[in-house]
């Protein structure tokens, strides 16, 4: 539904430090910051699958938001990240998939959804809620050998970084929970569907 939007712009002093969202190298480790909460009200998942709005709209946690943003900026400034993407429409599942589907779209990934839960999260949280909750956060692809420094920065901002998976050479989008595969999608098929959306929306 229509809602107010605030746009922010800024100046990048060194464009060589800019980090894009597409996955960069097989073997790179993927980290999540921003706990998953049962907050799917107004989500794309509820709208598309159930045609409902839902009740639990994501809460703005100002301290968490500030800490995540500053931590990501610091990590980028130090050259620790190969890729980064914020979690918004579609939640965690859509965010990581977009990182694989953005051109050149040559790499897949495998993530463990259990590792996307914070220490105090209920183990009984439904798999679809972990995948599609639109609670804010970031998925970060760490450069090889930079992981420990990345974790140091994130924890320095009182964040709880979660290592959720790895970039793979397999051209597949794979998500698992408790050793069970809940999604295994061919990258080319997924990209064909993903890029077809705009044309279909304009019919």
């Amino acid at each position: 539904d229509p809602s107010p939007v605030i746009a922010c712009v800024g100046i990048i002093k060194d464009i060589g430090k800019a980090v894009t969202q597409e996955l960069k190298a097989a073997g790179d480790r993927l980290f999540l910051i921003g706990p998953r909460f049962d907050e799917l009200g107004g989500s794309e998942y509820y709208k598309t699958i159930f045609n409902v709005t839902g009740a639990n709209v994501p809460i703005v946690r100002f301290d968490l938001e500030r800490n995540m943003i500053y931590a990501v900026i610091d990590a980028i400034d130090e050259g620790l990240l190969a890729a980064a993407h914020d979690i918004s429409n579609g939640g965690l599942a859509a965010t990581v998939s977009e990182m694989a589907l953005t051109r050149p779209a040559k790499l897949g990934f495998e993530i463990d959804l259990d590792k996307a839960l914070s220490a105090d999260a209920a183990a009984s949280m439904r798999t679809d809620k972990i995948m599609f909750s639109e609670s804010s956060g970031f998925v970060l692809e760490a450069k090889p050998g930079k992981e420990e420094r990345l974790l140091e920065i994130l924890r320095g901002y009182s964040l709880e970084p979660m290592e959720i998976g790895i970039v793979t050479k397999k051209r597949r989008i794979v998500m698992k929970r408790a050793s069970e595969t809940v999604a295994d999608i061919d990258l080319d098929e997924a990209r064909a569907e993903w890029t077809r959306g705009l044309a279909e929306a304009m019919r």
Side-chain angles (χ1 to χ4, degrees), residues 95-112:
T95 296
V96 191
S97 297
E98 287 173 2
M99 295 175 77
L101 297 174
T102 302
R103 288 180 179 175
K106 293 181 178 179
L107 299 166
F109 65 83
E110 182 173 319
I111 63 171
D112 182 344

Side-chain angles (χ1 to χ4, degrees), residues 31-99:
F31 294 87
L32 165 70
I33 53 173
R36 302 297 85 209
F37 296 99
D38 184 357
E39 296 179 331
L40 285 85
S43 67
E44 291 293 327
Y45 176 60
Y46 275 5
K47 176 182 177 181
T48 303
I49 303 300
F50 302 108
N51 195 30
V52 298
T53 301
N56 300 335
V57 176
I59 297 170
V60 179
R61 299 168 176 86
F62 290 100
D63 289 344
L64 175 62
E65 297 290 346
R66 179 192 60 218
N67 290 346
M68 288 193 297
I69 290 170
Y70 285 153
V72 171
I73 289 172
D74 285 356
I76 290 173
D77 190 57
E78 287 197 25
L80 308 179
L81 300 182
H85 193 7
D86 66 300
I87 296 175
S88 56
N89 289 20
L92 174 63
T95 296
V96 191
S97 297
E98 287 173 2
M99 295 175 77

Side-chain angles (χ1 to χ4, degrees), residues 4 7 16 27 30 41 44-45 77 125 127 137 141 145-146 148 164 171 179 183 196:
L30 298 172
E44 291 293 327
Y45 176 60
D77 190 57
M125 188 171 180
T127 300
E141 177 186 355
K146 304 291 186 180
E148 292 307 313
I164 58 172
R171 298 176 56 79
S179 300
R196 192 164 28 234

